[in-house]
Amino acid sequence: MSDRNESAASKRLRRAIRGIALARRATNAEPLEVMSAPAFRSVVADRLRALERDVAEVRARVNGLLFVVAGAVVTQVVLRLFG
């Protein structure tokens, strides 16, 4: 395809793809690691357990924040009624 027949969008797309390819080469990206199915399942299971722990921690923090907010609301109500 000649440059004369290419549209401006096509040229930009071609330059962007070339830039991505050059950036990938510059980072020396390692090829994907090949592993057996049981090893893959083990890695996935470990990551899932770690994710479950993280979600449990976030959940505990959110519950704590809700408890603090509820306590503040109750305190304000009591102060307005009896204060």
Side-chain angles (χ1 to χ4, degrees), residues 12-70:
R12 284 194 311 266
L13 180 60
R14 188 178 300 276
R15 279 194 302 263
I17 291 171
R18 190 177 305 124
I20 291 170
L22 290 174
R24 181 166 170 81
R25 282 189 212 129
T27 61
N28 295 328
E30 294 181 19
L32 292 177
E33 182 179 330
V34 178
M35 64 176 69
S36 66
F40 178 76
R41 283 190 205 105
S42 176
V43 169
V44 170
D46 288 343
R47 288 184 181 183
L48 184 58
R49 278 188 222 100
L51 183 61
E52 287 171 345
R53 282 192 304 270
D54 291 345
V55 168
E57 181 183 343
V58 169
R59 192 178 207 178
R61 288 181 182 205
V62 168
N63 286 340
L65 285 173
L66 291 175
F67 182 74
V68 167
V69 169

Side-chain angles (χ1 to χ4, degrees), residues 1-7 10-11 14:
M1 184 181 284
S2 70
D3 284 339
R4 293 178 188 171
N5 294 335
E6 276 187 302
S7 68
S10 178
K11 288 178 184 177
R14 188 178 300 276

